[in-house]
Structure formats: structure tokens, C-alpha cells
Amino acid sequence: MELAIKRSEHEKIRKLLFSNDTGKRYLAVVLCEALEEQKVIKLTNLEKLYVKGLYDSESEVSFCAGCAFFESHSFRDLLGEHTRFGEEARKWAFKKVSRSNSNYNHQN
């Protein structure tokens, strides 16, 4: 994901909204929202409807760090309420998107 951000591969990130991998789908939602808020992209109506549906989804997104840590949360919990992972993901996304846009603007 970070490489896609660094390379400004916005279409690749958008396609991940529909990934079978819930982790990639979750990060794509967070990134697309950050990109749209910073007016880098404009989501289509279909993408917006899909993201809106994820806000109510009970599909699980798993987090693990080796054998010592494993948790899972629903999209609804991660996107709707501010869990520890949701807050950190949003901070990460805005930081990466801002840095990427800043680098892009300096190069052009």
C-alpha cells in the first residue's frame, strides 16, 4: 500500500476497495477517504455506495503481529466507531497521502 501511495497509483488503491482481502479493502477505504478529502481523487457513485455499505458491514478485518497478537474487528467497528486501529489507520493514511502529495507537487 505504501508503495502504491508513493507512486501515486490511485487507481490501484481504488480497485482494492473491491478486494477479497478484507485487510486490503479496509486500508483502501481509509486511503480513498483521505485522498478524496485532500481532493486528490473523486470517488464514483458506485465506490461511495460500496464504502457506505462497508460502514455497516459485519465482515471481519484481522490484525496480527506474529504469534503474540491477534484481533479482529468488523468494518462497522473500525469505520464507524473510533477504535485504536481505526484511529491509527486514519492518522497513517492522512500522513502518507499528505506526504505523497507534497512530494508530487514539489516535483511538478
Side-chain angles (χ1 to χ4, degrees):
M1 283 295 208
E2 290 203 22
L3 188 56
I5 297 165
K6 186 176 182 178
R7 292 181 176 170
S8 296
E9 296 175 336
H10 303 135
E11 288 305 311
K12 182 177 184 177
I13 296 168
R14 291 167 85 136
K15 287 180 183 178
L16 290 173
L17 287 171
F18 304 97
S19 173
N20 290 329
D21 181 323
T22 57
K24 289 179 182 177
R25 198 174 338 147
Y26 171 64
L27 288 177
V29 168
V30 174
L31 285 168
C32 283
E33 288 179 335
L35 288 164
E36 187 168 50
E37 187 169 311
Q38 293 188 21
K39 300 193 184 329
V40 176
I41 65 169
K42 180 154 175 50
L43 295 175
T44 66
N45 287 335
L46 175 64
E47 290 166 335
K48 288 178 184 180
L49 283 171
Y50 187 74
V51 167
K52 184 179 178 186
L54 288 175
Y55 270 79
D56 292 325
S57 174
E58 288 297 328
S59 293
E60 294 285 319
V61 180
S62 300
F63 301 87
C64 68
C67 298
F69 177 82
F70 177 83
E71 280 187 25
S72 66
H73 299 276
S74 69
F75 276 99
R76 181 187 328 189
D77 289 342
L78 289 173
L79 296 170
E81 299 175 20
H82 294 291
T83 63
R84 170 174 45 128
F85 293 110
E87 287 289 328
E88 290 303 314
R90 284 182 176 90
K91 287 178 190 175
W92 168 81
F94 279 96
K95 180 179 173 183
K96 293 297 177 178
V97 168
S98 295
R99 184 176 297 153
S100 176
N101 289 337
S102 174
N103 291 340
Y104 178 78
N105 290 333
H106 288 307
Q107 292 173 356
N108 290 323

